[in-house]
Amino acid sequence: MSENRATVCTVVTTTDSEAAARDLAAGAVAARLGACAQVAGPVTSVFRWDGAVQTETEWRVEIKTADDRVDALTHHLRQRHTYDVPEIIATPVTGGDADYLSWVLAETR
């Protein structure tokens, strides 16, 4: 498993509707930029925007991908996102089932 430890990442974004979240998830998987994606929500997000604290309902999209696909996935999400500055955060996976991690790598080729 050690060879896969630094090669899989989870990329997270949020958006303003379940339909938009599903579209982002499906588009990433269809483009082989992610092996799978989960949509969760609604979630309550609190953030500062335009000088004021905002509270909004959002849906979270979590995409499993290979680390060498993160830049392409980030670009893909930016091109399709409705937000001016969308949250797109990549976190390395530091462990997990070796078969699953291998599957993520294979599905993003």
Side-chain angles (χ1 to χ4, degrees):
M1 183 175 75
S2 61
E3 70 186 55
N4 291 337
R5 284 188 166 200
T7 61
V8 173
C9 291
T10 299
V11 174
V12 174
T13 191
T14 55
T15 192
D16 60 355
S17 73
E18 183 178 5
R22 286 175 179 259
D23 287 346
L24 289 172
V29 173
R32 297 189 84 83
L33 297 172
C36 65
Q38 288 81 36
V39 173
V43 297
T44 301
S45 294
V46 180
F47 53 94
R48 183 176 305 279
W49 187 253
D50 289 335
V53 175
Q54 309 283 329
T55 301
E56 297 290 340
T57 299
E58 294 185 301
W59 278 257
R60 179 182 165 113
V61 182
E62 186 175 291
I63 304 163
K64 303 337 176 283
T65 193
D67 66 351
D68 64 353
R69 302 294 274 158
V70 169
D71 289 344
L73 176 57
T74 298
H75 179 75
H76 178 90
L77 292 171
R78 288 280 301 175
Q79 294 298 309
R80 288 154 183 80
H81 215 290
T82 59
Y83 290 1
D84 293 338
V85 182
E87 171 190 15
I88 303 173
I89 298 173
T91 304
V93 172
T94 61
D97 181 75
D99 290 340
Y100 178 79
L101 298 175
S102 293
W103 174 80
V104 169
L105 297 176
E107 289 301 314
T108 55
R109 301 298 137 199

